[in-house]
Structures are given as structure tokens and as C-alpha cells.
Amino acid sequence: MADTATTASAAAASAANASTDAPPFQLGKPRFQQTSFFGRFRHFLDIIDPRTLFVTERRLREAVQLLEDYKHGTLRPGVTNEQLWSAQKIKQAILHPDTNEKIFMPFRMSGYIPFGTPIVVGLLLPNQTLASTVFWQWLNQSHNACVNYANRNATKPSPASKFIQGYLGAVISAVSIAVGLNVLVQKANKFTPATRLLVQRFVPFPAVASANICNVVLMRYGELEEGIDVLDSDGNLVGSSKIAARHALLETALTRVVLPMPILVLPPIVMSMLEKTALLQARPRLLLPVQSLVCLAAFGLALPLAISLFPQMSEIETSQLEPEIAQATSSRTVVYNKGL
């Protein structure tokens, strides 16, 4: 009955779309093909679109209701595919796919760049003291921990104690690595003061990349213990898999290593060149605003590239999973939400 209603809605939406270029709407499916990197890149550009931060509660309710009408075959005449895709974009950007609860604004993927850029600027400030290094690494990992937790696979309940353990582990690892590398650089007598300053600017990358792996693993360790839900091609629950959980965490950890590369490596290179220009030498007060813009551009480039490495709903063959999963379905492959 639900399939018939959805088919009727699809037909109604298609009839209203003769003059638009939007592809036929598919409820719960990405607008762009996820088998190619470019398709995933375009999909995640929608997910991280900061304009969705300004969507009102009323607009969110309207978007959710429009999708419900489509699902139950009660879509009003004249609704276009573009309107349906827009409604789904709003829902996916604001509500968690597993719980359907609102994600707190600073921890949404659409808020990652606006709220994360000031932290990146702080991480890359020159002449860091021990206190400032500790502060910015703590703030960065606190933000990352909350983003990882808010966008986790939530098909299984996770106690607050796991969050606290993961958070403390990530912060301690980040601060330890950053402080340790800074001390080593300071004690390196072979470096000239200019070289030492340049090397110090690259210290945040290994610290952040290493801590990001710890952050993801520790924050989501419960998934390894409990497993995550896997679904067949029709969206039916097949079972819970620890092997799928390992794949999900590995894919997410890889994106967290790739993500800080352009963010923490490109700005120091660009700024070392810009600082030699006559404009910035004559107006040193412009250094911080210029560095902020460079970091914002690097962040805006890096985030969609990194999270596009893997589809959010990843596919895996049942032969690679636990025997009970393979026996519970006739599907050759199943899908799981790897998180973001």
C-alpha cells in the first residue's frame, strides 16, 4: 500500500516537472549518483551548505511534512521535483538520519566550516605559547568530539560515559602530541629563528591528524562493541554487524586524516608568501584578517573533498560480514550508515 502511494506521488511530481531540470525525486536517496567521487562531492556540498543553518522551525516542519505527504501518496498537485529535493536537503542537513532529532547547530556538518574556521585560525597563530597551544588543541578536539558524536551512527544507544572517555582520550592525545612537537622544535639548535617559526606552523597538522583518529575511534568505540545496523536494498533491517562497524570507523577515520591536510598545511605556505608582500609588511594589522580568509577558503575546499571519499550510506557484500548476516537475507549486498 505504501509503495502504491509513493508511486502515485512520484507520478504527480513528475507531471509537474516538465519544465525543470531536476532529476526524478527518490525519497531517502541522494540526488546525485554516489558511485562516483563527483556525485558524492555534489551531494555533500548540499549537506554542508551553511544556508541551511538559517532554516526556520516552520520551514523545517513544512519540509518534513512535504516528504511525509510524498511517502503516503497525499502530495498536493503542482509540487515539483526541485521542491522535493530541497525539502530532503533541509531535512538531511538538520535532522539525524537514525534518530530524526535535530542536531545542535554548531555540530551539524553545515556548521562545521563557520564554527570551525576560528579554531583553525587559532591553531595556526604564530609564536604560540604553551598555554595557547593547549587551549587551541583542547578547543579543536572538543568541537571535533561533539561533531563526531552528533553525526555518529545512532542505531545503537551509547551511554554518556563512552562520550566522556572518548573526549578525554582525544584531548589528551592532541595536547600531548602538539606540546611534544613544539618542545622538540624549540630545542632544535640547527634551526634558524625563521626556520623554527615556519616549522612550528606545521606542528598542528600531525597533532590534529593523530588526535582525529583517536577522537573518532574513542567517541564511537561502542559501535565496535555493539555493531551497527545493516539494511537490504529495500531498507529492511537485516541485523547488527561488528564488521560493518569496523568498516564505518575506518572510512570515517581516513576522512579525518585527509580533512586537516589542506586546512593546516596550505595556509602556512600561503601566509609565508603573503607576509613578504609590501602590503602586509606595511600593514601588519591585516595579517589576522588575511589569515582568517585563507583558512576559510582552505576549510571550504577541504571539507567536501574529504567527506566525499566514501558515501555516507556505504555498501558491503554480505559475504564479508558475519555468517548470520549472510543467512538472514537473500541480498548480495547490504548498506550501513557510516556516519560523517
Side-chain angles (χ1 to χ4, degrees), residues 23-24 26 29-46 85 88 307-313 315 335:
Q26 291 180 288
K29 303 289 185 181
R31 177 172 182 168
F32 305 102
Q33 183 57 253
Q34 297 296 284
T35 54
S36 70
F37 177 83
F38 184 63
R40 295 194 296 271
F41 181 77
R42 295 180 70 186
H43 168 69
F44 284 116
L45 283 179
D46 274 352
W85 285 120
Q88 183 157 276
I307 60 178
S308 298
L309 291 175
F310 306 99
Q312 182 171 358
M313 297 302 295
E315 189 175 58
V335 296

Side-chain angles (χ1 to χ4, degrees), residues 25 27 63-71 84 87-88 91:
F25 179 73
L27 184 64
V64 172
Q65 186 58 53
L66 190 64
L67 297 175
E68 285 295 310
D69 290 346
Y70 176 89
K71 180 179 180 180
L84 289 167
Q88 183 157 276
K91 181 182 177 182

